[in-house]
Amino acid sequence: MRDDTAEATYRRALALITVLVALVGVVWAVLTPAFRAPDEPQHVNSVLRLAYGGGWPAAGEALVGPAVDAAREQAALATDVPGRHLDRAELPPFVDVPPVPDAQRGTVTPENALADPLPPGTGTRHLPTDVVDQMTQHPPLYYALAAGVLHVTGTAEARWDLQLLTLRLFDVVLLLPLPLLTAGAARRLLARRADGGRAAALVAASFTLFVPQVGHILGSVTNDALVTLSGAAAAYLCARVVTGDVRWRTAAGLGTVVGVGLLTKVMAAFALPMVVAAFALAAGPRGRRAAGVLVAGAVALAVGGWWWVRNLVVLGTVQPVGIPDRFPDDAEPNGPWYFVRTVVTSLTRSFFGNFGWLEVRLPDAVFWTAAVVVAGLCALAAARGPARRGTAVLLLQPVALWCGVVANAWPDYAAHGWISAVQGRYLFAGLLALGAATALGLGTLLGPRLRAAVPWVVGTGAVAAAAGLAYGFWGFYQGPDRTVADAAARWAGWSPLTWPQLVLVGAVGVVVVVAAVLAAARFSRVVPDVPDHPRSPAVRVTETVTATPSASPATSSTTSVAAGKAYQ
């Protein structure tokens, strides 16, 4: 009975942590000024194009429509927010622009949603960058889904700020499964432990609370939201595969979620090393595992990989350029060490907290400390943790993403001396791996004390998330010599929500934080029937046979013991 009670308290705590993670995204969605997230105007423009039947032009031939262009002007995007790391003399301060009243904000209609098509044979090379929509270099799946959301919610023809908030909340919905999948992967890797890995799972689910940039980016309009979800689903299924689930339907499901990612953005391709390694290190006959890789690869190709094969065949490149590179002047590269130092710093900072258009930066000490802690715990889990192989397999995904971003940045640096396309959000497809590995590393460090630490981790994560939101509030709205009340009034003035609605969001947030911490504290006090130690081989055999019902009676025992070894 006590184990049943532990499971019930675990599920309650996980549900509240999941709600807390999503609510942080909601607060970011209503806090961030309009279009103050990377490429958000272009993302919205591509959604509107599909919502109004404008199709998907070739890369380099899409323009920003009149509705989005007017909305950017009303949102005062051509200004500098007060927390910007470097003010630009030619642009006015955002805090000096009075908010446009709600009733005066433009409405998107069939007459202004679409840009006039370019004349045949022309391109955007000689046009100003702010009129070009480069998103057609990506596949259209995310934008098609978001366009459907506008129609379903009745906001396809609405004020631009209401449309923007609707699309931001759609991305928060895509964020919602992330803590559940992360907890599920941690439990799968630790299924052989007496407590079923519940404590580590709750810590893993809380991971994104410590990464303010996740709430900021995934509370904005971006195709990274769907890539993050597909990457997390792929990592969860790889956790199942490496622990012995090599069924055909698991392989097909893995190929499907990777394919969905590939039909969204090329970053999903960096899950492939993880997929291959998961089958290579799983228990079971070699032929079955090889067939699983082929099934997953074939399904991924059929669902979304064909887009990139077509690009290669028709265009001669995997991803075409949506907007030509326009470097001010060629500069002499400062050598490999400068490149490495700059790229690593930029990637790390913009992974943990670089808000707006990468302009409101967390202090160096904050993001470097966070990076060292995460890297150290991940390394500890991979080297000495209870699920070393599984942890190493999952970590292949963020490592491949990191290497891909660095390798992609080098050619422009070598040719022009400029470093571009280095953003931490490109690593978000690997968030599940980082969250699960961090939790397993902390469990390795604390041992049985991890259960008692769960409410402290959740509480600290809530404080970190609140601190990130407070820093964003200061950086977006509180100008020099302005009070917090002044900043709050500006926030309310720009927001599509009313003051009572903003207060309600904040009050719900406080209630959820308290409930999540209390649920985690209750979980930490519930002791399961069996001490927290690895289960006996006999128990592992029973569980693995249940997970793989296709095994025959003659082979199930051998396969189960091998699967138990795969957890190591």
Side-chain angles (χ1 to χ4, degrees):
M1 291 297 294
R2 283 191 296 169
D3 193 62
D4 292 340
T5 302
E7 183 66 19
T9 57
Y10 161 76
R11 292 185 178 182
R12 189 178 300 113
L14 177 60
L16 286 166
I17 291 170
T18 300
V19 172
L20 177 57
V21 168
L23 192 59
V24 170
V26 170
V27 177
W28 275 110
V30 300
L31 174 70
T32 304
F35 304 118
R36 292 279 179 176
D39 300 323
E40 197 170 35
Q42 286 80 4
H43 288 302
V44 173
N45 187 73
S46 283
V47 172
L48 292 176
R49 188 189 312 107
L50 290 182
Y52 282 92
W56 202 248
E61 297 182 7
L63 300 178
V64 173
V68 172
D69 193 42
R72 286 190 300 194
E73 184 175 353
Q74 287 195 328
L77 193 59
T79 58
D80 279 347
V81 293
R84 195 177 195 277
H85 65 93
L86 181 64
D87 288 334
R88 293 168 290 186
E90 70 275 15
L91 294 181
F94 179 60
V95 294
D96 288 347
V97 179
V100 175
D102 291 358
Q104 297 178 22
R105 296 176 189 178
T107 298
V108 178
T109 67
E111 288 71 34
N112 63 12
L114 301 178
D116 293 332
L118 288 169
T122 64
T124 58
R125 178 174 295 276
H126 301 295
L127 295 177
T129 56
D130 61 349
V131 305
V132 179
D133 180 355
Q134 72 271 31
M135 294 307 152
T136 55
Q137 67 182 330
H138 304 300
L141 179 59
Y142 166 80
Y143 304 98
L145 293 175
V149 168
L150 290 183
H151 286 295
V152 168
T153 57
T155 54
E157 191 168 337
R159 275 188 0 227
W160 60 262
D161 58 330
L162 296 176
Q163 280 187 340
L164 183 64
L165 181 59
T166 300
L167 293 174
R168 285 179 171 182
L169 294 179
F170 167 60
D171 282 9
V172 174
V173 171
L174 296 179
L175 168 65
L176 192 61
L178 179 60
L180 298 174
L181 291 168
T182 308
R187 289 201 71 177
R188 181 72 186 189
L189 293 177
L190 296 175
R192 61 187 287 265
R193 300 188 70 84
D195 73 340
R198 297 186 189 102
L202 293 179
V203 172
S206 308
F207 176 74
T208 57
L209 297 174
F210 294 90
V211 188
Q213 190 79 355
V214 171
H216 172 56
I217 294 296
L218 301 187
S220 69
V221 185
T222 172
N223 59 3
D224 289 305
L226 187 54
V227 175
T228 299
L229 176 58
S230 66
Y236 168 74
L237 290 173
C238 281
R240 295 191 63 88
V241 169
V242 77
T243 53
D245 185 358
V246 291
R247 293 172 293 177
W248 300 121
R249 69 181 186 183
T250 304
L254 183 51
T256 299
V257 296
V258 173
V260 166
L262 289 172
L263 204 54
T264 306
K265 201 169 185 177
V266 74
M267 310 308 292
F270 293 97
L272 297 180
M274 174 182 65
V275 173
V276 173
F279 280 101
L281 295 177
R286 182 179 301 175
R288 178 65 173 258
R289 292 183 284 126
V293 172
L294 293 177
V295 168
V299 173
L301 180 63
V303 174
W306 61 268
W307 177 275
W308 308 101
V309 175
R310 167 196 166 275
N311 282 351
L312 193 59
V313 172
V314 176
L315 305 176
T317 183
V318 174
Q319 177 166 297
V321 177
I323 183 171
D325 292 325
R326 303 175 188 187
F327 300 105
D329 293 295
D330 282 356
E332 186 68 26
N334 292 323
W337 171 241
Y338 172 84
F339 172 81
V340 171
R341 186 175 72 249
T342 304
V343 167
V344 170
T345 301
S346 297
L347 263 180
T348 307
R349 177 191 292 119
S350 58
F351 178 85
F352 285 100
N354 210 356
F355 311 134
W357 284 66
L358 308 182
E359 54 196 338
V360 180
R361 300 177 172 180
L362 285 181
D364 289 7
V366 173
F367 71 80
W368 279 124
T369 300
V372 169
V373 170
V374 170
L377 291 176
C378 287
L380 181 62
R384 300 185 59 186
R388 294 186 291 277
R389 289 186 182 180
T391 302
V393 166
L394 296 189
L395 286 175
L396 284 175
Q397 187 181 29
V399 169
L401 286 163
W402 191 93
C403 292
V405 171
V406 173
N408 182 66
W410 174 258
D412 278 342
Y413 175 72
H416 305 285
W418 291 88
I419 297 175
S420 59
V422 177
Q423 296 192 34
R425 62 192 171 95
Y426 297 155
L427 309 182
F428 283 1
L431 281 173
L432 183 147
L434 295 172
T438 299
L440 267 63
L442 188 62
T444 303
L445 191 65
L446 297 181
R449 292 173 294 173
L450 181 65
R451 175 181 288 273
V454 169
W456 295 97
V457 171
V458 176
T460 305
V463 170
L469 287 164
Y471 196 80
F473 171 81
W474 165 81
F476 291 142
Y477 298 106
Q478 191 170 352
D481 303 322
R482 307 290 177 93
T483 65
V484 173
D486 294 333
R490 290 192 57 77
W491 177 24
W494 283 108
S495 175
L497 300 184
T498 63
W499 249 122
Q501 290 170 329
L502 292 174
V503 171
L504 178 62
V505 171
V508 170
V510 172
V511 171
V512 171
V513 167
V514 173
V517 174
L518 290 178
R522 183 177 180 186
F523 164 83
S524 69
R525 292 193 297 268
V526 175
V527 182
D529 283 331
V530 194
D532 186 15
H533 59 76
R535 292 177 176 175
S536 66
V539 175
R540 288 203 298 266
V541 168
T542 302
E543 288 186 341
T544 312
V545 172
T546 303
T548 55
S550 59
S552 66
T555 61
S556 60
S557 179
T558 302
T559 302
S560 302
V561 174
K565 293 179 180 178
Y567 289 93
Q568 301 302 321

